């Protein structure tokens, strides 16, 4: 098994935590994002979307981090609490995964990550969108009253949401108004130090890039505006 991943990418980190939690042996292949390796035609043979990560399970190629996490659990640990079989529990995990993809990580990515690498600005509106996402996660945690986002035990939904939230820590975003989010985030760090070690490695890289943004002026990305080099 091979995982094509980027070391500081939240979707890649979520998949890596899943592989670690399931104790699955695999080869980690770093994709050089700054060199645009994922935009190559060779990479597109594995993933026509040209996005990261991609799983190669003995010739079976699978992209999209959520699908990868679900696949790993279904194939290699079908009875694991990480992705419960009971219909209502699984539905809640699936909902939290969809929530992260479309509602939570999307504004965090645009506010925290995009300005580091491309010619985007953090604005009051982008901040407001992140605050709205955090308020909803806070509400979910309040309504369930559980330790983790989909129950009392950790699931792959937590891996996805933790990987998104660490982007905010990397840019020193104030989480203090969201006490339940803060508690959930701290609980994960304390109870799963080996998994947090994976997440933290990515968070530290993002933090370093925040302090010293990479020069991608040589990159001609088809969808993101390139930041002009400093004079």
């Amino acid at each position: 098994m091979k995982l094509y991943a980027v070391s500081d990418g939240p979707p890649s980190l979520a998949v890596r935590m899943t592989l670690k939690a399931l104790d699955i042996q695999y080869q980690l292949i770093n994709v050089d994002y700054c060199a645009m390796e994922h935009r190559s035609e060779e990479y597109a043979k594995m993933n026509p979307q040209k996005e990261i990560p991609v799983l190669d399970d003995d010739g079976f190629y699978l992209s999209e981090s959520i699908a990868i996490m679900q696949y790993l659990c279904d194939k290699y640990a079908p009875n694991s609490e990480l992705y419960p079989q009971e219909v209502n529990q699984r539905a809640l995990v699936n909902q939290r995964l969809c929530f992260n993809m479309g509602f939570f990580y999307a504004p965090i990515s645009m506010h925290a990550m995009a300005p580091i690498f491309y010619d985007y600005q953090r604005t009051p509106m982008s901040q407001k969108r992140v605050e709205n996402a955090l308020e909803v996660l806070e509400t979910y945690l309040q309504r369930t009253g559980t330790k983790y986002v989909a129950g009392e035990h950790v699931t792959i939904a937590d891996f996805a949401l933790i990987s998104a939230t660490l982007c905010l820590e990397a840019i020193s975003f104030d989480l203090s108004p969201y006490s339940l989010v803060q508690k959930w985030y701290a609980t994960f760090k304390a109870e799963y130090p080996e998994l947090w070690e994976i997440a933290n490695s990515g968070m530290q890289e993002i933090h370093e890039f925040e302090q010293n943004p990479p020069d991608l002026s040589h990159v001609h990305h088809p969808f993101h505006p390139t930041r002009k080099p400093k004079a």
Side-chain angles (χ1 to χ4, degrees), residues 24-43:
I24 297 174
Q25 300 300 309
Y26 70 102
Q27 179 184 357
L28 180 62
I29 299 176
N30 183 62
V31 179
D32 191 335
Y33 183 87
C34 293
M36 302 291 282
E37 287 184 353
H38 62 298
R39 301 297 307 174
S40 71
E41 289 307 310
E42 191 65 26
Y43 189 88

Side-chain angles (χ1 to χ4, degrees), residues 143-158:
R143 288 183 177 180
T144 60
T146 53
K147 185 188 296 186
Y148 290 104
V149 297
E152 290 299 334
H153 55 81
V154 76
T155 67
I156 56 175
D158 293 284

